[in-house]
């Protein structure tokens, strides 16, 4: 039994009895974030790509908590003198003590804010305590999401809906159809004006194709 807390943008915190795993911990400069760097405890930090609204406070959090950063190998190579890290690449999976992590495709870009190449962006497919969680990262809609849905019985999918940089609402609804998760949670919207989206419109549209959707405000959580 675990809990996933949404902290705004694409930052989620997964808590199990033994571990806390962060994905894309964007705290400083995130107007929606409900937590402070000093208050966050974690064992692992998963980063989908190098953009500041995902990489966020990764280095500081990893140092403070002696946490391991899991990401694309070019990204981990860029920080491995500062933090403990585990580099991976697309399609690869590895079993950690908290569960299994597989890197999925994400159609997007990945560099630091000052332009350094960070390898390809990715999404994460997690198997934790018998549940399958998919965090799509920043991505366009792509047809191979159908393959992800066919090969995995996904319990909870976190999908971007904010448009401009990623899928918008209608493309994300199509993604739900492809991925076929038991529950979908929208992310990557309303943090900035450019990515304003109506999460309730998304929820209605997801429900209209017979699927479930939970809209989480920052600080709210979902059990798994
Ligand atoms: Ni991005
Ligand atoms: Mn982003």
């Amino acid at each position: 039994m675990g809990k996933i807390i949404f902290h705004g943008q694409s930052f989620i915190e997964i808590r199990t009895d033994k571990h806390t795993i962060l994905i894309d911990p964007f705290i400083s400069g995130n107007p929606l974030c409900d937590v402070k760097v000093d208050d966050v405890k974690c064992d692992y930090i998963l980063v989908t790509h190098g953009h500041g609204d995902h990489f966020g406070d990764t280095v500081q959090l990893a140092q403070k908590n002696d946490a391991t950063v899991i990401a694309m190998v070019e990204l981990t190579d860029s920080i491995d003198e500062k933090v403990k890290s585990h580099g991976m690449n697309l399609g690869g999976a590895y079993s950690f003590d908290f569960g299994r992590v597989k890197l999925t495709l994400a159609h997007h870009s990945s560099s630091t804010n000052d332009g350094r190449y960070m390898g390809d962006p990715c999404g994460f497919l997690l198997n934790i305590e018998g549940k399958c969680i998919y965090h799509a990262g920043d991505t366009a809609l792509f047809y191979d999401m159908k393959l992800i849905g066919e090969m995995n019985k996904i319990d909870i999918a976190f999908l971007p809906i904010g448009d401009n940089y990623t899928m918008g609402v209608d493309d994300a609804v199509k993604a739900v159809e492809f991925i076929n998760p038991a529950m979908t949670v929208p992310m990557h919207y309303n943090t900035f004006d450019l990515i304003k989206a109506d999460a309730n419109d998304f929820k209605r549209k997801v429900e209209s194709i017979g699927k479930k959707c939970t809209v989480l405000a920052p600080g709210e959580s979902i059990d798994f």
Side-chain angles (χ1 to χ4, degrees):
M1 187 72 179
K3 180 182 182 151
I4 308 176
I5 310 164
F6 180 62
H7 293 301
Q9 192 70 340
S10 302
F11 177 15
I12 67 170
E13 175 179 354
I14 302 170
R15 285 193 197 158
T16 67
D17 291 342
K18 290 185 188 139
H19 301 100
T20 298
I21 301 115
L22 310 181
I23 303 181
D24 288 355
F26 172 41
I27 300 174
S28 305
N30 178 354
L32 295 184
C33 192
D34 63 304
V35 291
K36 300 218 175 340
V37 173
D38 286 341
D39 301 331
V40 176
K41 304 257 181 294
C42 58
D43 303 292
Y44 293 90
I45 304 172
L46 280 60
V47 184
T48 59
H49 63 295
H51 292 159
D53 58 316
H54 300 262
F55 184 72
D57 302 278
T58 293
V59 170
Q60 202 184 334
L61 286 166
Q63 288 175 339
K64 185 174 75 80
N65 292 287
D66 197 28
T68 300
V69 177
I70 302 168
M72 182 60 68
V73 66
E74 285 86 355
L75 194 155
T76 55
D77 279 352
S78 77
I79 54 172
D80 66 3
E81 285 175 5
K82 298 179 193 157
V83 301
K84 287 194 298 191
S85 69
H86 181 111
M88 299 179 67
N89 211 321
L90 298 177
Y94 187 82
S95 291
F96 296 87
D97 57 359
F98 66 88
R100 185 168 179 267
V101 176
K102 184 172 185 179
L103 266 58
T104 63
L105 297 184
H107 285 278
H108 192 66
S109 57
S110 179
S111 60
T112 57
N113 284 353
D114 59 3
R116 276 176 297 131
Y117 171 67
M118 288 289 123
D120 277 0
C122 71
F124 292 112
L125 205 48
L126 310 175
N127 286 94
I128 300 179
E129 299 192 350
K131 297 288 179 179
C132 184
I133 301 160
Y134 174 50
H135 185 294
D138 275 1
T139 186
L141 174 67
F142 56 99
Y143 201 68
D144 283 358
M145 284 177 169
K146 217 172 154 69
L147 186 62
I148 295 174
E150 276 174 20
M151 293 183 69
N152 302 277
K153 194 178 158 296
I154 295 171
D155 294 290
I156 307 173
F158 287 83
L159 302 180
I161 67 161
D163 226 335
N164 197 76
Y165 299 111
T166 67
M167 298 189 283
V169 166
D170 292 333
D171 281 9
V173 172
K174 193 71 190 174
V176 172
E177 198 184 309
F178 287 163
I179 297 158
N180 195 29
M183 178 62 69
T184 299
V185 180
M187 63 175 184
H188 209 270
Y189 67 98
N190 288 358
T191 317
F192 308 107
D193 284 347
L194 263 176
I195 56 169
K196 275 214 160 75
D198 184 348
N200 287 315
D201 178 43
F202 175 68
K203 181 179 161 74
R204 273 191 301 274
K205 287 174 172 168
V206 168
E207 288 170 352
S208 79
I209 59 165
K211 302 298 297 174
K212 289 185 181 158
C213 176
T214 301
V215 177
L216 297 177
E220 288 185 342
S221 63
I222 187 171
D223 293 330
F224 69 94

